[in-house]
Amino acid sequence: MKTFLLLGLLGAYCSALSTKQQRRFPDDFLIGTATASYQIEGAWNEDGKGENIWDYITHNNPTVIVDESNGDIAADSYHNVERDVEMMRELGLDVYRFSLSWSRILPSGFANEVNEAGVDYYNRLINEMLKYNITPMISLYHWDLPQKLQELGGFANPLIADWFEDYARVVFSKLGDRVKLWITFNEPREVCYEGYGFTTKAPILNATAVGTYMCARNLLLAHAKAYYLYNNEFKTKQGGQCGITISVNSFKPLTDSEEDRAATELKQQAEWGIYAHPIFSQEGGFPKELVVRVAEKSAEHGYPRTRLPQLSEEERVLIRGTADFFGVNHYTGYLVSATRHTPEYSTVSLLSDINVGTYRPVEWLQSAASWLTLMPNSIYDVLTHLKNKYNDPIFYVTENGWATSPEIGLEDDDRITYYRAALESILDSLDAGVRLKGYMAWSLMDNFEWLAGYTERFGLYEVDFSDPARPRTPRKSAFVYKEILRSRVIDHDYEPDTAVMTIDEGH
C-alpha cells in the first residue's frame, strides 16, 4: 500500500495532555464529512443520466463560472466509489452526508422513467459504506434540478411539490431500507434567493422582486409533502428520520442600539427565518416582521398586493412541525446595522426590502472565498439562538468548512485553525444543552465550487483535477481531523510540532 507522508503534525498529541485540558465528544456523537452530487460525481451524461440546471448553465453560459469550468467530470466520484469510501475509512468517519442527483435517478425529472443505472450507483456507494459501519445521511436535493423541470418553471411552479414528492417516493422505495437519516432540501435560501432572486446560483433567474418569495413558498410545500410521505408510508417499516438543512449565518448587532437589534432580527428572518419559522416555530407561517415589511415595500413600489405569497391556514398547518431534526449549515457571520454599511439598491429585492447593512471586522481570519471569514464563537451563537427560538429541536451541523486557494496545496493551517475553533464551539454548544447529534465537515474532497469553479478548495483531501484519474491526497487538516475522530478529544492548547503522521490507504 502506498503511504502518504505529511510533515508538520504532532502524531499523538492527545496522549500527552492532561485530562483538564481535554474536551471530549460523546461516544454517540456522529462526526463526519459532507459532499454534493453535482460537485463531485462527474459522469454528467453517462448511463442514462438526464441534464440538470448546472449542466445547462455551464455548457450554455460558461462565462458565469470564474474559470469557465464545469462539473462534467469534477472529482469523478461516479467511477471512484471504492476510493471515496476508502478515504472515509482512512479518516475514521462515523457518518457521510451526500446528495442524490435527481436527474441521474429520474432523467426527465418525472417518476414515470426510473434510471436503474443511477440507482445502482447509489446502492453501491451505500453498501460499501455500510460494510465499514459508516452511516449514510442523504440529501434528496442539493441544487441540481432536472433541466426539463426548470423549463416548466422549476420552483416557481406550484406543481414542484408534487414532482418532488414523486421523486422522494422513488428514492425512499429504492434506498430507504438502508438509509435512516434523510434531508429533503439543502439550503433553501441558496436555492431561492441566489437562484431565483439573484445571479449567484443556477438557474440564475434574477427575478429580484418576486423570485425568492415564490420559490420559498413552493419549496416549503414540497418539503412538507416529502416529509409526510416518509412519515406516513415509510417511517414505520424503515425506521428513519427526515429533516431539512438550512444555511444559518450568525448575525449580531453592530451596536447595542434598539435599531441595530431590530435590524439584526429582520436580517435573520430574511436569510433563514423565512424557511425555518414555518417549520420549527409553534405558530408556523412566515416571520411576522418580514411579512409586514414586504407588504409595506410592495405597496411603496406600486404592487397591488404583497410580493410574498401568503400561506393559507391549511398550508401553514401542513408545513408546521415537518422535521425530525434541524440540519444547520454554518460557515460565517456578520455584524448588522440599521444605518451603517447599507448599500444602494437599484432593484426591488429581498435585500432592498429589509435594507440593513452588514460589517465584518478586518481582524477576522479571511478565507480564499470572499464571503467566508472566521467569526469567533459563531456556531455556539447560532445553535443556542435556534435552541431558544424554536423550542429545543434536535440538530445536526450538516456543513462547516473553510476555503483555500489551489496554490496552498497540502499545508492548510488556516483550515486547521478554523476547524479547531468550530469544534470547540460545538463542544460549548453541547455544554449549553443544545441537542446536537452530529457534525459534518465540508468537504471530504475538493470539488466544483459552483460559480467559483475550481478556484476555491474546501477538501480535507486535495484532488488533482489535471490528472484524468483524479487522485486524492490528504491535506494536513485531514490528519488533524483523523486524530480528533480517533481520540474524540479537542485540546484547547494544542500546537503542532515537527512529528510525522501517515494515512495508509485501506487503513
Side-chain angles (χ1 to χ4, degrees), residues 167-212:
Y167 161 57
R169 178 176 281 106
V170 171
V171 170
F172 295 150
S173 299
K174 298 283 188 180
L175 308 178
D177 60 321
R178 287 150 293 147
V179 177
K180 308 307 175 187
L181 293 172
W182 293 101
I183 293 166
T184 54
F185 288 99
N186 177 76
E187 296 187 344
R189 174 194 173 272
E190 284 66 18
V191 175
C192 294
Y193 168 66
E194 293 196 38
Y196 284 73
F198 199 51
T199 60
T200 46
K201 294 289 185 295
I204 312 184
L205 199 61
N206 204 28
T208 60
V210 298
T212 302

mmCIF file of all heavy atoms in Angstrom, residues 167-212:
data_model
loop_
_atom_site.group_PDB
_atom_site.id
_atom_site.type_symbol
_atom_site.label_atom_id
_atom_site.label_comp_id
_atom_site.label_asym_id
_atom_site.label_seq_id
_atom_site.Cartn_x
_atom_site.Cartn_y
_atom_site.Cartn_z
ATOM 1 N N TYR A 167 -40.562 12.069 -6.788
ATOM 2 C CA TYR A 167 -39.133 11.729 -6.756
ATOM 3 C C TYR A 167 -38.760 11.111 -5.409
ATOM 4 O O TYR A 167 -38.073 10.071 -5.347
ATOM 5 C CB TYR A 167 -38.334 13.002 -7.030
ATOM 6 C CG TYR A 167 -36.885 12.996 -6.619
ATOM 7 C CD1 TYR A 167 -35.982 12.034 -7.088
ATOM 8 C CD2 TYR A 167 -36.387 13.990 -5.768
ATOM 9 C CE1 TYR A 167 -34.644 12.058 -6.719
ATOM 10 C CE2 TYR A 167 -35.050 14.015 -5.402
ATOM 11 C CZ TYR A 167 -34.182 13.054 -5.868
ATOM 12 O OH TYR A 167 -32.849 13.080 -5.497
ATOM 13 N N ALA A 168 -39.230 11.714 -4.319
ATOM 14 C CA ALA A 168 -38.921 11.197 -2.985
ATOM 15 C C ALA A 168 -39.448 9.785 -2.804
ATOM 16 O O ALA A 168 -38.779 8.939 -2.189
ATOM 17 C CB ALA A 168 -39.502 12.133 -1.915
ATOM 18 N N ARG A 169 -40.631 9.501 -3.332
ATOM 19 C CA ARG A 169 -41.191 8.155 -3.203
ATOM 20 C C ARG A 169 -40.295 7.114 -3.882
ATOM 21 O O ARG A 169 -40.056 6.032 -3.337
ATOM 22 C CB ARG A 169 -42.600 8.099 -3.791
ATOM 23 C CG ARG A 169 -43.214 6.689 -3.710
ATOM 24 C CD ARG A 169 -44.637 6.644 -4.208
ATOM 25 N NE ARG A 169 -45.576 7.142 -3.192
ATOM 26 C CZ ARG A 169 -46.181 8.315 -3.234
ATOM 27 N NH1 ARG A 169 -45.959 9.139 -4.265
ATOM 28 N NH2 ARG A 169 -47.006 8.675 -2.277
ATOM 29 N N VAL A 170 -39.776 7.444 -5.043
ATOM 30 C CA VAL A 170 -38.872 6.522 -5.741
ATOM 31 C C VAL A 170 -37.632 6.270 -4.885
ATOM 32 O O VAL A 170 -37.201 5.125 -4.696
ATOM 33 C CB VAL A 170 -38.467 7.088 -7.120
ATOM 34 C CG1 VAL A 170 -37.354 6.238 -7.751
ATOM 35 C CG2 VAL A 170 -39.677 7.149 -8.051
ATOM 36 N N VAL A 171 -37.063 7.333 -4.341
ATOM 37 C CA VAL A 171 -35.830 7.216 -3.561
ATOM 38 C C VAL A 171 -36.062 6.429 -2.272
ATOM 39 O O VAL A 171 -35.299 5.513 -1.942
ATOM 40 C CB VAL A 171 -35.274 8.617 -3.251
ATOM 41 C CG1 VAL A 171 -34.139 8.522 -2.241
ATOM 42 C CG2 VAL A 171 -34.785 9.277 -4.521
ATOM 43 N N PHE A 172 -37.110 6.774 -1.535
ATOM 44 C CA PHE A 172 -37.388 6.042 -0.296
ATOM 45 C C PHE A 172 -37.611 4.558 -0.569
ATOM 46 O O PHE A 172 -37.179 3.695 0.202
ATOM 47 C CB PHE A 172 -38.611 6.626 0.409
ATOM 48 C CG PHE A 172 -38.449 8.042 0.898
ATOM 49 C CD1 PHE A 172 -39.557 8.890 0.967
ATOM 50 C CD2 PHE A 172 -37.214 8.530 1.301
ATOM 51 C CE1 PHE A 172 -39.424 10.191 1.425
ATOM 52 C CE2 PHE A 172 -37.066 9.838 1.763
ATOM 53 C CZ PHE A 172 -38.179 10.666 1.821
ATOM 54 N N SER A 173 -38.286 4.255 -1.671
ATOM 55 C CA SER A 173 -38.568 2.862 -2.024
ATOM 56 C C SER A 173 -37.305 2.100 -2.388
ATOM 57 O O SER A 173 -37.144 0.923 -2.039
ATOM 58 C CB SER A 173 -39.553 2.804 -3.193
ATOM 59 O OG SER A 173 -40.785 3.406 -2.868
ATOM 60 N N LYS A 174 -36.389 2.783 -3.076
ATOM 61 C CA LYS A 174 -35.186 2.110 -3.578
ATOM 62 C C LYS A 174 -34.063 2.021 -2.548
ATOM 63 O O LYS A 174 -33.302 1.057 -2.523
ATOM 64 C CB LYS A 174 -34.660 2.855 -4.819
ATOM 65 C CG LYS A 174 -35.613 2.896 -6.003
ATOM 66 C CD LYS A 174 -35.639 1.576 -6.739
ATOM 67 C CE LYS A 174 -36.443 1.680 -8.028
ATOM 68 N NZ LYS A 174 -36.466 0.385 -8.770
ATOM 69 N N LEU A 175 -33.943 3.047 -1.693
ATOM 70 C CA LEU A 175 -32.773 3.139 -0.815
ATOM 71 C C LEU A 175 -33.104 3.136 0.674
ATOM 72 O O LEU A 175 -32.211 2.968 1.510
ATOM 73 C CB LEU A 175 -31.986 4.422 -1.136
ATOM 74 C CG LEU A 175 -31.594 4.671 -2.596
ATOM 75 C CD1 LEU A 175 -30.877 6.004 -2.730
ATOM 76 C CD2 LEU A 175 -30.740 3.547 -3.143
ATOM 77 N N GLY A 176 -34.361 3.324 1.023
ATOM 78 C CA GLY A 176 -34.727 3.573 2.411
ATOM 79 C C GLY A 176 -34.560 2.408 3.352
ATOM 80 O O GLY A 176 -34.569 2.599 4.570
ATOM 81 N N ASP A 177 -34.402 1.199 2.833
ATOM 82 C CA ASP A 177 -34.191 0.059 3.721
ATOM 83 C C ASP A 177 -32.848 0.143 4.437
ATOM 84 O O ASP A 177 -32.659 -0.469 5.492
ATOM 85 C CB ASP A 177 -34.291 -1.249 2.926
ATOM 86 C CG ASP A 177 -33.268 -1.344 1.806
ATOM 87 O OD1 ASP A 177 -33.002 -0.310 1.144
ATOM 88 O OD2 ASP A 177 -32.744 -2.448 1.574
ATOM 89 N N ARG A 178 -31.901 0.926 3.898
ATOM 90 C CA ARG A 178 -30.557 1.027 4.498
ATOM 91 C C ARG A 178 -30.196 2.432 4.966
ATOM 92 O O ARG A 178 -29.194 2.608 5.647
ATOM 93 C CB ARG A 178 -29.505 0.558 3.479
ATOM 94 C CG ARG A 178 -29.481 -0.951 3.254
ATOM 95 C CD ARG A 178 -29.034 -1.278 1.838
ATOM 96 N NE ARG A 178 -30.046 -0.817 0.888
ATOM 97 C CZ ARG A 178 -29.770 -0.371 -0.331
ATOM 98 N NH1 ARG A 178 -28.542 -0.308 -0.753
ATOM 99 N NH2 ARG A 178 -30.752 0.022 -1.121
ATOM 100 N N VAL A 179 -30.994 3.421 4.605
ATOM 101 C CA VAL A 179 -30.689 4.812 4.955
ATOM 102 C C VAL A 179 -31.668 5.284 6.019
ATOM 103 O O VAL A 179 -32.880 5.204 5.833
ATOM 104 C CB VAL A 179 -30.766 5.724 3.715
ATOM 105 C CG1 VAL A 179 -30.510 7.174 4.105
ATOM 106 C CG2 VAL A 179 -29.766 5.272 2.653
ATOM 107 N N LYS A 180 -31.160 5.784 7.116
ATOM 108 C CA LYS A 180 -32.006 6.174 8.257
ATOM 109 C C LYS A 180 -32.003 7.671 8.534
ATOM 110 O O LYS A 180 -32.726 8.129 9.420
ATOM 111 C CB LYS A 180 -31.556 5.436 9.519
ATOM 112 C CG LYS A 180 -31.443 3.921 9.346
ATOM 113 C CD LYS A 180 -32.730 3.305 8.785
ATOM 114 C CE LYS A 180 -32.562 1.815 8.507
ATOM 115 N NZ LYS A 180 -33.751 1.259 7.811
ATOM 116 N N LEU A 181 -31.200 8.442 7.818
ATOM 117 C CA LEU A 181 -31.147 9.882 8.001
ATOM 118 C C LEU A 181 -31.368 10.564 6.656
ATOM 119 O O LEU A 181 -30.534 10.441 5.742
ATOM 120 C CB LEU A 181 -29.797 10.308 8.595
ATOM 121 C CG LEU A 181 -29.517 9.852 10.034
ATOM 122 C CD1 LEU A 181 -28.085 10.172 10.420
ATOM 123 C CD2 LEU A 181 -30.492 10.506 11.018
ATOM 124 N N TRP A 182 -32.495 11.266 6.535
ATOM 125 C CA TRP A 182 -32.885 11.907 5.279
ATOM 126 C C TRP A 182 -33.006 13.415 5.455
ATOM 127 O O TRP A 182 -33.535 13.895 6.461
ATOM 128 C CB TRP A 182 -34.231 11.373 4.797
ATOM 129 C CG TRP A 182 -34.216 9.933 4.395
ATOM 130 C CD1 TRP A 182 -34.646 8.861 5.119
ATOM 131 C CD2 TRP A 182 -33.760 9.411 3.139
ATOM 132 N NE1 TRP A 182 -34.469 7.698 4.408
ATOM 133 C CE2 TRP A 182 -33.933 8.001 3.189
ATOM 134 C CE3 TRP A 182 -33.215 9.975 1.992
ATOM 135 C CZ2 TRP A 182 -33.591 7.169 2.129
ATOM 136 C CZ3 TRP A 182 -32.869 9.151 0.933
ATOM 137 C CH2 TRP A 182 -33.053 7.772 1.010
ATOM 138 N N ILE A 183 -32.540 14.141 4.458
ATOM 139 C CA ILE A 183 -32.716 15.587 4.370
ATOM 140 C C ILE A 183 -33.460 15.874 3.079
ATOM 141 O O ILE A 183 -33.062 15.379 2.014
ATOM 142 C CB ILE A 183 -31.351 16.304 4.375
ATOM 143 C CG1 ILE A 183 -30.670 16.131 5.730
ATOM 144 C CG2 ILE A 183 -31.497 17.783 4.033
ATOM 145 C CD1 ILE A 183 -29.199 16.505 5.722
ATOM 146 N N THR A 184 -34.532 16.649 3.151
ATOM 147 C CA THR A 184 -35.286 16.957 1.932
ATOM 148 C C THR A 184 -34.511 17.935 1.058
ATOM 149 O O THR A 184 -34.125 17.607 -0.069
ATOM 150 C CB THR A 184 -36.664 17.535 2.274
ATOM 151 O OG1 THR A 184 -36.505 18.672 3.147
ATOM 152 C CG2 THR A 184 -37.548 16.492 2.940
ATOM 153 N N PHE A 185 -34.271 19.130 1.583
ATOM 154 C CA PHE A 185 -33.597 20.184 0.803
ATOM 155 C C PHE A 185 -32.355 20.670 1.524
ATOM 156 O O PHE A 185 -32.343 20.827 2.750
ATOM 157 C CB PHE A 185 -34.535 21.373 0.579
ATOM 158 C CG PHE A 185 -35.635 21.088 -0.401
ATOM 159 C CD1 PHE A 185 -36.899 20.748 0.046
ATOM 160 C CD2 PHE A 185 -35.407 21.143 -1.769
ATOM 161 C CE1 PHE A 185 -37.916 20.473 -0.846
ATOM 162 C CE2 PHE A 185 -36.419 20.865 -2.670
ATOM 163 C CZ PHE A 185 -37.682 20.533 -2.218
ATOM 164 N N ASN A 186 -31.329 20.926 0.743
ATOM 165 C CA ASN A 186 -30.138 21.588 1.245
ATOM 166 C C ASN A 186 -30.232 23.080 0.936
ATOM 167 O O ASN A 186 -30.319 23.485 -0.217
ATOM 168 C CB ASN A 186 -28.877 21.028 0.579
ATOM 169 C CG ASN A 186 -27.624 21.759 1.053
ATOM 170 O OD1 ASN A 186 -27.149 21.528 2.161
ATOM 171 N ND2 ASN A 186 -27.109 22.668 0.234
ATOM 172 N N GLU A 187 -30.246 23.888 1.989
ATOM 173 C CA GLU A 187 -30.126 25.338 1.898
ATOM 174 C C GLU A 187 -31.165 26.000 0.989
ATOM 175 O O GLU A 187 -30.862 26.444 -0.119
ATOM 176 C CB GLU A 187 -28.713 25.721 1.445
ATOM 177 C CG GLU A 187 -27.644 25.318 2.443
ATOM 178 C CD GLU A 187 -26.264 25.834 2.102
ATOM 179 O OE1 GLU A 187 -26.047 26.260 0.943
ATOM 180 O OE2 GLU A 187 -25.399 25.802 2.983
ATOM 181 N N PRO A 188 -32.400 26.095 1.455
ATOM 182 C CA PRO A 188 -33.429 26.775 0.664
ATOM 183 C C PRO A 188 -33.071 28.212 0.280
ATOM 184 O O PRO A 188 -33.444 28.677 -0.803
ATOM 185 C CB PRO A 188 -34.648 26.740 1.593
ATOM 186 C CG PRO A 188 -34.432 25.551 2.458
ATOM 187 C CD PRO A 188 -32.952 25.479 2.679
ATOM 188 N N ARG A 189 -32.373 28.932 1.144
ATOM 189 C CA ARG A 189 -32.002 30.310 0.790
ATOM 190 C C ARG A 189 -31.180 30.353 -0.485
ATOM 191 O O ARG A 189 -31.402 31.197 -1.366
ATOM 192 C CB ARG A 189 -31.203 30.959 1.925
ATOM 193 C CG ARG A 189 -30.665 32.336 1.544
ATOM 194 C CD ARG A 189 -29.596 32.833 2.510
ATOM 195 N NE ARG A 189 -28.991 34.070 2.016
ATOM 196 C CZ ARG A 189 -27.951 34.122 1.199
ATOM 197 N NH1 ARG A 189 -27.375 33.002 0.756
ATOM 198 N NH2 ARG A 189 -27.463 35.290 0.802
ATOM 199 N N GLU A 190 -30.217 29.448 -0.588
ATOM 200 C CA GLU A 190 -29.358 29.446 -1.772
ATOM 201 C C GLU A 190 -30.140 29.035 -3.017
ATOM 202 O O GLU A 190 -29.867 29.513 -4.123
ATOM 203 C CB GLU A 190 -28.153 28.538 -1.535
ATOM 204 C CG GLU A 190 -27.085 29.133 -0.632
ATOM 205 C CD GLU A 190 -27.514 29.356 0.812
ATOM 206 O OE1 GLU A 190 -28.521 28.774 1.261
ATOM 207 O OE2 GLU A 190 -26.849 30.126 1.516
ATOM 208 N N VAL A 191 -31.093 28.130 -2.855
ATOM 209 C CA VAL A 191 -31.955 27.762 -3.978
ATOM 210 C C VAL A 191 -32.791 28.968 -4.405
ATOM 211 O O VAL A 191 -32.834 29.334 -5.589
ATOM 212 C CB VAL A 191 -32.892 26.598 -3.591
ATOM 213 C CG1 VAL A 191 -33.869 26.290 -4.732
ATOM 214 C CG2 VAL A 191 -32.099 25.352 -3.233
ATOM 215 N N CYS A 192 -33.457 29.601 -3.443
ATOM 216 C CA CYS A 192 -34.483 30.603 -3.755
ATOM 217 C C CYS A 192 -33.917 32.001 -3.971
ATOM 218 O O CYS A 192 -34.178 32.631 -4.993
ATOM 219 C CB CYS A 192 -35.531 30.617 -2.652
ATOM 220 S SG CYS A 192 -36.495 29.092 -2.550
ATOM 221 N N TYR A 193 -33.155 32.500 -3.009
ATOM 222 C CA TYR A 193 -32.615 33.850 -3.182
ATOM 223 C C TYR A 193 -31.526 33.875 -4.253
ATOM 224 O O TYR A 193 -31.573 34.670 -5.195
ATOM 225 C CB TYR A 193 -32.071 34.403 -1.862
ATOM 226 C CG TYR A 193 -31.257 35.657 -2.082
ATOM 227 C CD1 TYR A 193 -31.878 36.826 -2.541
ATOM 228 C CD2 TYR A 193 -29.878 35.668 -1.896
ATOM 229 C CE1 TYR A 193 -31.134 37.961 -2.792
ATOM 230 C CE2 TYR A 193 -29.133 36.803 -2.141
ATOM 231 C CZ TYR A 193 -29.756 37.955 -2.590
ATOM 232 O OH TYR A 193 -29.018 39.082 -2.850
ATOM 233 N N GLU A 194 -30.533 32.991 -4.129
ATOM 234 C CA GLU A 194 -29.407 33.061 -5.054
ATOM 235 C C GLU A 194 -29.769 32.587 -6.458
ATOM 236 O O GLU A 194 -29.246 33.101 -7.445
ATOM 237 C CB GLU A 194 -28.226 32.259 -4.508
ATOM 238 C CG GLU A 194 -27.634 32.863 -3.239
ATOM 239 C CD GLU A 194 -26.255 32.314 -2.927
ATOM 240 O OE1 GLU A 194 -25.475 32.101 -3.874
ATOM 241 O OE2 GLU A 194 -25.968 32.072 -1.740
ATOM 242 N N GLY A 195 -30.669 31.592 -6.549
ATOM 243 C CA GLY A 195 -31.007 31.044 -7.859
ATOM 244 C C GLY A 195 -32.152 31.738 -8.560
ATOM 245 O O GLY A 195 -32.150 31.880 -9.790
ATOM 246 N N TYR A 196 -33.150 32.201 -7.781
ATOM 247 C CA TYR A 196 -34.352 32.797 -8.368
ATOM 248 C C TYR A 196 -34.418 34.306 -8.172
ATOM 249 O O TYR A 196 -34.963 35.022 -9.015
ATOM 250 C CB TYR A 196 -35.607 32.134 -7.787
ATOM 251 C CG TYR A 196 -35.843 30.763 -8.368
ATOM 252 C CD1 TYR A 196 -35.040 29.682 -7.998
ATOM 253 C CD2 TYR A 196 -36.843 30.535 -9.302
ATOM 254 C CE1 TYR A 196 -35.225 28.438 -8.539
ATOM 255 C CE2 TYR A 196 -37.040 29.284 -9.853
ATOM 256 C CZ TYR A 196 -36.224 28.233 -9.471
ATOM 257 O OH TYR A 196 -36.398 26.992 -10.029
ATOM 258 N N GLY A 197 -33.870 34.809 -7.072
ATOM 259 C CA GLY A 197 -33.928 36.230 -6.792
ATOM 260 C C GLY A 197 -32.632 36.969 -7.063
ATOM 261 O O GLY A 197 -32.547 38.182 -6.884
ATOM 262 N N PHE A 198 -31.597 36.239 -7.520
ATOM 263 C CA PHE A 198 -30.297 36.862 -7.768
ATOM 264 C C PHE A 198 -29.567 36.051 -8.833
ATOM 265 O O PHE A 198 -30.191 35.272 -9.565
ATOM 266 C CB PHE A 198 -29.504 36.956 -6.452
ATOM 267 C CG PHE A 198 -28.389 37.950 -6.476
ATOM 268 C CD1 PHE A 198 -28.603 39.255 -6.889
ATOM 269 C CD2 PHE A 198 -27.111 37.590 -6.070
ATOM 270 C CE1 PHE A 198 -27.570 40.176 -6.920
ATOM 271 C CE2 PHE A 198 -26.070 38.503 -6.082
ATOM 272 C CZ PHE A 198 -26.304 39.798 -6.501
ATOM 273 N N THR A 199 -28.239 36.193 -8.905
ATOM 274 C CA THR A 199 -27.478 35.635 -10.031
ATOM 275 C C THR A 199 -26.321 34.752 -9.613
ATOM 276 O O THR A 199 -25.421 34.494 -10.411
ATOM 277 C CB THR A 199 -26.913 36.780 -10.893
ATOM 278 O OG1 THR A 199 -26.051 37.593 -10.075
ATOM 279 C CG2 THR A 199 -28.027 37.636 -11.469
ATOM 280 N N THR A 200 -26.301 34.262 -8.379
ATOM 281 C CA THR A 200 -25.121 33.534 -7.909
ATOM 282 C C THR A 200 -25.308 32.027 -7.848
ATOM 283 O O THR A 200 -24.391 31.320 -7.423
ATOM 284 C CB THR A 200 -24.686 34.058 -6.527
ATOM 285 O OG1 THR A 200 -25.834 34.185 -5.687
ATOM 286 C CG2 THR A 200 -24.021 35.414 -6.656
ATOM 287 N N LYS A 201 -26.468 31.513 -8.218
ATOM 288 C CA LYS A 201 -26.670 30.069 -8.349
ATOM 289 C C LYS A 201 -27.593 29.806 -9.545
ATOM 290 O O LYS A 201 -28.435 30.652 -9.897
ATOM 291 C CB LYS A 201 -27.320 29.474 -7.085
ATOM 292 C CG LYS A 201 -26.460 29.543 -5.830
ATOM 293 C CD LYS A 201 -25.296 28.592 -5.876
ATOM 294 C CE LYS A 201 -24.515 28.569 -4.569
ATOM 295 N NZ LYS A 201 -23.840 29.838 -4.252
ATOM 296 N N ALA A 202 -27.421 28.631 -10.158
ATOM 297 C CA ALA A 202 -28.358 28.229 -11.205
ATOM 298 C C ALA A 202 -29.755 28.146 -10.593
ATOM 299 O O ALA A 202 -29.886 27.770 -9.422
ATOM 300 C CB ALA A 202 -27.951 26.883 -11.788
ATOM 301 N N PRO A 203 -30.770 28.525 -11.359
ATOM 302 C CA PRO A 203 -30.812 28.820 -12.796
ATOM 303 C C PRO A 203 -30.545 30.270 -13.168
ATOM 304 O O PRO A 203 -30.801 30.669 -14.304
ATOM 305 C CB PRO A 203 -32.249 28.443 -13.154
ATOM 306 C CG PRO A 203 -33.041 28.793 -11.940
ATOM 307 C CD PRO A 203 -32.144 28.453 -10.781
ATOM 308 N N ILE A 204 -30.025 31.077 -12.204
ATOM 309 C CA ILE A 204 -29.716 32.493 -12.447
ATOM 310 C C ILE A 204 -30.942 33.197 -13.034
ATOM 311 O O ILE A 204 -30.872 33.894 -14.042
ATOM 312 C CB ILE A 204 -28.467 32.650 -13.351
ATOM 313 C CG1 ILE A 204 -27.321 31.770 -12.845
ATOM 314 C CG2 ILE A 204 -28.001 34.099 -13.388
ATOM 315 C CD1 ILE A 204 -26.014 31.922 -13.612
ATOM 316 N N LEU A 205 -32.066 33.020 -12.411
ATOM 317 C CA LEU A 205 -33.305 33.602 -12.918
ATOM 318 C C LEU A 205 -33.328 35.116 -12.729
ATOM 319 O O LEU A 205 -33.858 35.844 -13.567
ATOM 320 C CB LEU A 205 -34.495 32.962 -12.194
ATOM 321 C CG LEU A 205 -35.850 33.089 -12.869
ATOM 322 C CD1 LEU A 205 -35.853 32.420 -14.232
ATOM 323 C CD2 LEU A 205 -36.939 32.479 -11.984
ATOM 324 N N ASN A 206 -32.774 35.604 -11.614
ATOM 325 C CA ASN A 206 -32.656 37.036 -11.351
ATOM 326 C C ASN A 206 -34.004 37.758 -11.364
ATOM 327 O O ASN A 206 -34.094 38.911 -11.764
ATOM 328 C CB ASN A 206 -31.697 37.701 -12.350
ATOM 329 C CG ASN A 206 -31.102 38.994 -11.794
ATOM 330 O OD1 ASN A 206 -30.971 39.148 -10.583
ATOM 331 N ND2 ASN A 206 -30.751 39.914 -12.672
ATOM 332 N N ALA A 207 -35.038 37.070 -10.935
ATOM 333 C CA ALA A 207 -36.348 37.708 -10.771
ATOM 334 C C ALA A 207 -36.366 38.346 -9.391
ATOM 335 O O ALA A 207 -36.975 37.837 -8.442
ATOM 336 C CB ALA A 207 -37.458 36.680 -10.928
ATOM 337 N N THR A 208 -35.673 39.476 -9.261
ATOM 338 C CA THR A 208 -35.326 40.014 -7.949
ATOM 339 C C THR A 208 -36.536 40.323 -7.084
ATOM 340 O O THR A 208 -36.511 40.115 -5.871
ATOM 341 C CB THR A 208 -34.469 41.277 -8.095
ATOM 342 O OG1 THR A 208 -35.216 42.259 -8.836
ATOM 343 C CG2 THR A 208 -33.176 40.967 -8.835
ATOM 344 N N ALA A 209 -37.606 40.842 -7.670
ATOM 345 C CA ALA A 209 -38.745 41.304 -6.878
ATOM 346 C C ALA A 209 -39.568 40.158 -6.310
ATOM 347 O O ALA A 209 -40.068 40.238 -5.183
ATOM 348 C CB ALA A 209 -39.630 42.226 -7.710
ATOM 349 N N VAL A 210 -39.742 39.097 -7.091
ATOM 350 C CA VAL A 210 -40.688 38.046 -6.702
ATOM 351 C C VAL A 210 -40.089 36.656 -6.636
ATOM 352 O O VAL A 210 -40.659 35.758 -6.001
ATOM 353 C CB VAL A 210 -41.896 38.015 -7.671
ATOM 354 C CG1 VAL A 210 -42.660 39.317 -7.627
ATOM 355 C CG2 VAL A 210 -41.450 37.700 -9.103
ATOM 356 N N GLY A 211 -38.938 36.430 -7.280
ATOM 357 C CA GLY A 211 -38.409 35.070 -7.412
ATOM 358 C C GLY A 211 -38.138 34.381 -6.086
ATOM 359 O O GLY A 211 -38.515 33.222 -5.882
ATOM 360 N N THR A 212 -37.483 35.079 -5.158
ATOM 361 C CA THR A 212 -37.163 34.491 -3.856
ATOM 362 C C THR A 212 -38.420 34.044 -3.135
ATOM 363 O O THR A 212 -38.488 32.929 -2.587
ATOM 364 C CB THR A 212 -36.416 35.506 -2.981
ATOM 365 O OG1 THR A 212 -35.231 35.933 -3.655
ATOM 366 C CG2 THR A 212 -36.050 34.898 -1.639
#
